[in-house]
Amino acid sequence: MITLNDIKEAKKRLSNTVHATPLMKAPILSKEKNAEIFLKEDNLQLTGSFKIRGAFNRVAMLDETRRKNGVVAASAGNHAQGLAFAAQHFNCEATIFMPEATPLTKVSGVKSYGANVVLTGENFDEAYAAATKFAKENNKEFIHPFADDAVIAGQGTIALEILEKIEDIEHIIVPIGGGGLISGIAIAAKSINPNIRITGVVASGARGMKDSFEARLPMDSSSVRTIADGIAVRDVTPKLLDIILEYVDEIVEVSDNETANAILFLLEKHKLMVEGAGAVATAAIMHNKVHIEKEKVCAIVSGGNIDVTMLSLIIDKGLVKSFRKMNLIVTLMDKPGALMHLTEIFKTCSANIVQIDYDRNSIKLEFGEAHVTIALETKGEEHQELIRENLKQNGYRFKQI
């Protein structure tokens, strides 16, 4: 049984190494949702994620013999970096098993701390099976990313930091993958003030813990698929479900589109680089998945190790969705001056061309026609309507994509 005292002791172990991360007001969300909303920015942690807390606490509690033998973990990335950092700090060998599709930024981050990386399996659970087998065969200490009391206690130090700054916090919203983060936070928060509401947030493509919470028994997912790779956990651990059933008030889910919106919002409005798993609590607030009106609320921003390719895709889609980018396929006559006439229309509408492609070979085209695929910078929905009207008035056939 994990106690408040365990979490307080963990905080002491972390005090000289792990950051007490910022707790910042979110003024735009607060105004929109008629609540006092704060963001706990653990994406600014040493390794870019809260996971360093639990990993460091666990390694700090090992005796010298076990440390000398080395430590092993399975992780989608953030626990891996946390454990690699802790192993380097305590001068012990670390071997990390990661899913083959793990973003390069997370693999590189683990290697930068001197750990050995083994890429195997399609998801966390397959990497986990390989890691536990390796640890057993080589007499090494396996450190679970969430189903471990010392790890859970380390994650719970986030709640202590929140309550040190805001004693009267009423509601804490937490991402859920395996459940270690929300378990530690919930135990600490509820032990100090049983009236604090704890809401968990899962990704729609990895909703095993939500289904289990509602059924009150472990229900593993057949598969997981989400941009929030840090919480893409397929199987539910009974021990953690028991803690969550006792301490957590509700679990909600957000879609990948909602998560992407939150990533873009946090980047643009708060200048925070946040990965999918780190953005789901904010996404739940933005998309009205939780009732928070007139409450004092804290959303956990749990990690910032996002792959730059994914970030680029999210930004691009976000610009289209917010009417700041317009993608068109326009059909025009394939003759001299035709393209110049089209671009004059965009010039008249004050739309900046950022990308253009000319295709005269498509089998969908009639002879003498061409397709122009064009991307425009635009200034909102009304601006895009103006462009569409001008194209129609000039007789162009077009499709917005």
Side-chain angles (χ1 to χ4, degrees), residues 259-401:
T259 301
N261 290 344
I263 291 171
L264 194 59
F265 171 83
L266 290 167
L267 180 63
E268 192 167 31
K269 302 301 183 183
H270 287 271
K271 315 309 174 192
L272 293 175
M273 185 79 76
V274 181
E275 64 187 278
V280 295
T282 305
I285 292 173
M286 289 175 62
H287 296 280
N288 302 312
K289 301 300 178 77
V290 287
H291 179 76
I292 58 170
E293 188 175 5
K294 297 182 180 179
E295 288 186 341
K296 191 168 284 191
V297 184
C298 180
I300 307 300
V301 182
S302 57
N305 294 315
I306 188 168
D307 181 65
V308 290
T309 303
M310 175 62 71
L311 181 62
S312 175
L313 181 62
I314 287 169
I315 290 172
D316 194 60
K317 287 188 174 184
L319 291 173
V320 172
K321 189 172 182 179
S322 60
F323 305 103
R324 287 177 288 174
K325 185 176 181 182
M326 187 180 194
N327 296 318
L328 296 166
I329 298 177
V330 183
T331 303
L332 71 163
M333 297 305 295
D334 185 21
K335 64 181 184 180
L339 183 58
M340 184 175 69
H341 183 262
L342 176 64
T343 58
E344 278 296 322
I345 293 173
F346 299 135
K347 179 182 176 182
T348 301
C349 294
S350 299
N352 187 37
I353 298 171
V354 293
Q355 187 176 347
I356 190 166
D357 181 65
Y358 195 92
D359 176 20
R360 65 197 304 189
N361 299 316
S362 173
I363 60 173
K364 296 179 181 180
L365 290 166
E366 298 291 337
F367 288 103
E369 291 183 337
H371 275 164
V372 175
T373 303
I374 193 160
L376 305 170
E377 284 181 344
T378 56
K379 301 170 185 176
E381 194 169 4
E382 290 183 4
H383 191 199
Q384 291 193 4
E385 180 59 30
L386 174 66
I387 294 167
R388 288 191 291 268
E389 284 301 315
N390 272 267
L391 289 172
K392 289 174 185 176
Q393 288 171 14
N394 282 272
Y396 285 104
R397 303 197 319 271
F398 65 92
K399 180 172 68 172
Q400 190 165 346
I401 55 175

Side-chain angles (χ1 to χ4, degrees), residues 111-362:
K111 289 181 177 179
S112 72
Y113 295 114
N116 305 311
V117 174
V118 180
L119 295 176
T120 183
E122 294 184 2
N123 53 46
F124 163 78
D125 300 281
E126 292 179 8
Y128 172 82
T132 52
K133 180 182 178 183
F134 175 84
K136 185 176 181 180
E137 290 175 348
N138 293 276
N139 192 32
K140 294 180 182 292
E141 189 77 10
F142 179 76
I143 298 183
H144 200 285
F146 45 84
D148 181 288
D149 286 1
V151 170
I152 294 169
Q155 322 304 28
T157 59
I158 289 177
L160 300 184
E161 291 176 14
I162 293 169
L163 288 162
E164 283 174 1
K165 295 286 183 68
I166 311 172
E167 292 182 4
D168 58 343
I169 199 77
E170 297 172 272
H171 193 169
I172 303 176
I173 304 172
V174 191
I176 298 184
L181 175 62
I182 196 169
S183 294
I185 287 175
I187 290 169
K190 293 274 192 179
S191 297
I192 294 170
N193 179 2
N195 294 321
I196 295 174
R197 285 178 62 206
I198 305 293
T199 295
V201 186
V202 301
S204 294
R207 46 174 292 144
M209 190 61 80
K210 184 176 188 292
D211 291 339
S212 301
F213 182 80
E214 292 169 354
R216 303 189 70 81
L217 66 127
M219 296 181 66
D220 298 339
S221 302
S222 57
S223 63
V224 292
R225 183 177 179 180
T226 173
I227 63 170
D229 57 282
I231 54 174
V233 179
R234 185 188 67 194
D235 298 339
V236 173
T237 305
K239 171 183 175 177
L240 288 167
L241 176 60
D242 288 343
I243 295 172
I244 288 169
L245 286 170
E246 181 175 354
Y247 289 97
V248 174
D249 296 285
E250 65 175 337
I251 296 178
V252 300
E253 66 180 277
V254 292
S255 70
D256 276 359
N257 280 336
E258 290 165 341
T259 301
N261 290 344
I263 291 171
L264 194 59
F265 171 83
L266 290 167
L267 180 63
E268 192 167 31
K269 302 301 183 183
H270 287 271
K271 315 309 174 192
L272 293 175
M273 185 79 76
V274 181
E275 64 187 278
V280 295
T282 305
I285 292 173
M286 289 175 62
H287 296 280
N288 302 312
K289 301 300 178 77
V290 287
H291 179 76
I292 58 170
E293 188 175 5
K294 297 182 180 179
E295 288 186 341
K296 191 168 284 191
V297 184
C298 180
I300 307 300
V301 182
S302 57
N305 294 315
I306 188 168
D307 181 65
V308 290
T309 303
M310 175 62 71
L311 181 62
S312 175
L313 181 62
I314 287 169
I315 290 172
D316 194 60
K317 287 188 174 184
L319 291 173
V320 172
K321 189 172 182 179
S322 60
F323 305 103
R324 287 177 288 174
K325 185 176 181 182
M326 187 180 194
N327 296 318
L328 296 166
I329 298 177
V330 183
T331 303
L332 71 163
M333 297 305 295
D334 185 21
K335 64 181 184 180
L339 183 58
M340 184 175 69
H341 183 262
L342 176 64
T343 58
E344 278 296 322
I345 293 173
F346 299 135
K347 179 182 176 182
T348 301
C349 294
S350 299
N352 187 37
I353 298 171
V354 293
Q355 187 176 347
I356 190 166
D357 181 65
Y358 195 92
D359 176 20
R360 65 197 304 189
N361 299 316
S362 173

